[in-house]
């Protein structure tokens, strides 16, 4: 969990979509930065008003975002990254840090298209809206320790953060990016079993979601053997299986297990938002 920071800097978003919104909200809510230190640009009044509703400044265009920011988070669709960076290349300086969350775009391309050597690549996943994202970051050749600390603080505001070599990023995308879809199916399958045994649907879904959380907690605390009941055991095995897939794709075991565990927390929280009556 992020804590309020005394390190003051300006943050800008190129692209004002859902992920940018989640990061901006998390950063301002956690106190890492005040909303007044964050800016973005967007042509649609609806998106402008949404960001303004929690204090983010709306500027004229992306060039002004770069001018006004110490750290620039690139959060546009991967297919437009090259053109966006080529257009903004004249505005980047050595004093600025470029952070990309565009899936599949490598550091060498980000550096070439932007002309920027201070670059960090981050791969978050979608449920950052509930504050439990699993984000992995890798450093460009000229990124500093201070850059790493600042970017870590930003992404800790929406979940957990790991640092890894870029060679692992395709596997990270498969595990933490696609993993939630499989876990939602597991929750639905557990709930279907409860309904088949006579439980009301809402109760079965709530119990299945909480069971996912229990399985994750047991895995991290190594206390599974002290508990009875088959549900948590199955979830424990599912987390292990998801981590095994990450290892098979080339991830270090600790990273794969951390991402798999965080994926279960994400699905538990996301499901609970819609189905809990507590």
């Amino acid at each position: 969990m992020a804590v309020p920071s005394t390190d003051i800097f300006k943050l800008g978003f190129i692209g004002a979509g859902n992920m940018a919104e989640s990061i901006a909200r998390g950063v301002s809510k956690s106190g890492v930065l005040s909303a007044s230190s964050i800016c973005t640009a967007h042509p649609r009044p609806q998106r402008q008003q949404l960001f303004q509703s929690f204090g983010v400044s709306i500027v004229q265009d992306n060039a002004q975002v770069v001018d006004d920011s110490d750290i620039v988070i690139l959060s546009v669709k991967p297919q437009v990254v090259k053109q966006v960076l080529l257009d903004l290349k004249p505005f980047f300086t050595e004093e600025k840090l470029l952070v990309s969350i565009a899936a599949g775009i490598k550091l060498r391309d980000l550096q070439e298209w932007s002309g920027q050597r201070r670059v960090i690549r981050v791969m978050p996943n979608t449920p950052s809206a509930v504050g439990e994202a699993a984000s992995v970051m890798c450093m460009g050749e000229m990124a500093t320790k201070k850059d790493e600390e600042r970017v870590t603080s930003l992404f800790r505001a929406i979940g957990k953060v790991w640092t890894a070599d870029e060679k692992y990023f395709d596997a990270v995308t498969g595990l933490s990016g696609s993993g939630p879809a499989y876990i939602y199916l597991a929750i639905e399958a557990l709930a279907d079993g409860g309904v088949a045994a006579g439980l009301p649907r809402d109760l079965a879904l709530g119990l299945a979601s909480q069971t996912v959380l229990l399985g994750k907690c047991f895995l991290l605390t190594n206390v599974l053997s002290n508990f009875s009941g088959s549900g948590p055991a199955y979830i424990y095995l599912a987390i292990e299986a998801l981590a095994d897939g990450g290892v098979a794709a080339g991830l270090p075991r600790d990273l794969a297990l951390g991402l798999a565990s965080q994926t279960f927390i994400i699905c538990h929280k996301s499901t609970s938002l819609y189905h809990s009556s507590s």
Side-chain angles (χ1 to χ4, degrees):
M1 180 63 67
V3 294
S5 173
T6 56
D7 181 22
I8 306 301
F9 54 92
K10 296 288 189 179
L11 176 66
F13 289 89
I14 303 297
N18 292 334
M19 185 61 77
E21 178 190 343
S22 294
I23 298 169
R25 285 186 184 276
V27 166
S28 59
K29 183 177 180 180
S30 68
V32 173
L33 288 177
S34 66
S36 61
S37 298
I38 306 171
C39 71
T40 190
H42 201 282
R44 286 169 44 203
Q46 298 94 323
R47 295 304 295 175
Q48 294 177 8
Q49 292 165 10
L50 189 150
F51 277 83
Q52 287 173 324
S53 70
F54 59 97
V56 172
S57 301
I58 300 298
V59 298
Q60 182 175 352
D61 53 29
N62 287 337
Q64 189 176 348
V65 171
V66 177
D67 275 342
D68 291 354
S69 304
D70 301 304
I71 298 178
V72 178
I73 296 184
L74 182 68
S75 55
V76 299
K77 301 288 188 185
Q79 60 267 30
V80 302
V81 166
K82 181 176 182 179
Q83 190 57 56
V84 168
L85 288 180
L86 289 174
D87 290 344
L88 293 174
K89 191 172 184 177
F91 302 96
F92 280 105
T93 65
E94 292 181 359
E95 291 74 29
K96 298 184 184 297
L97 172 65
L98 173 63
V99 178
S100 173
I101 62 171
I105 308 298
K106 297 187 181 300
L107 285 170
R108 66 172 181 268
D109 293 323
L110 295 167
Q111 292 169 349
E112 178 184 347
W113 299 335
S114 67
Q116 190 75 356
R117 291 291 177 245
R118 285 179 64 201
V119 179
I120 294 178
R121 182 181 172 193
V122 184
M123 187 67 221
N125 56 0
T126 52
S128 53
V130 295
E132 290 290 352
S135 301
V136 181
M137 56 188 281
C138 63
M139 312 292 290
E141 62 187 45
M142 296 298 290
T144 67
K145 185 65 176 177
K146 186 69 171 180
D147 293 337
E148 181 180 10
E149 291 170 354
R150 283 179 165 180
V151 174
T152 298
S153 73
L154 294 175
F155 284 87
R156 277 184 180 161
I158 58 166
K160 292 190 176 181
V161 184
W162 289 264
T163 300
D165 291 339
E166 189 178 33
K167 66 182 180 181
Y168 296 126
F169 266 50
D170 288 343
V172 165
T173 302
L175 176 54
S176 62
S178 303
Y182 294 105
I183 307 309
Y184 282 127
L185 291 175
I187 293 172
E188 289 285 346
L190 283 172
D192 288 345
V195 171
L199 292 179
R201 183 71 186 174
D202 286 350
L203 176 58
L205 198 55
L207 291 173
S209 175
Q210 186 67 11
T211 298
V212 164
L213 176 63
L214 289 172
K216 189 263 189 180
C217 292
F218 293 158
L219 178 66
L220 294 185
T221 57
N222 295 313
V223 295
L224 183 64
S225 60
N226 296 328
F227 289 80
S228 60
S230 59
Y234 290 132
I235 298 303
Y236 177 95
L237 293 173
I239 295 174
E240 287 281 359
L242 194 60
D244 288 343
V247 171
L251 291 180
R253 181 73 186 173
D254 287 350
L255 176 57
L257 198 55
L259 292 175
S261 299
Q262 188 68 6
T263 296
F264 275 71
I265 280 284
I266 288 164
C267 294
H268 163 74
K269 280 205 170 185
S270 300
T271 305
S272 297
L273 282 178
Y274 296 103
H275 299 288
S276 175
S277 59
S278 59

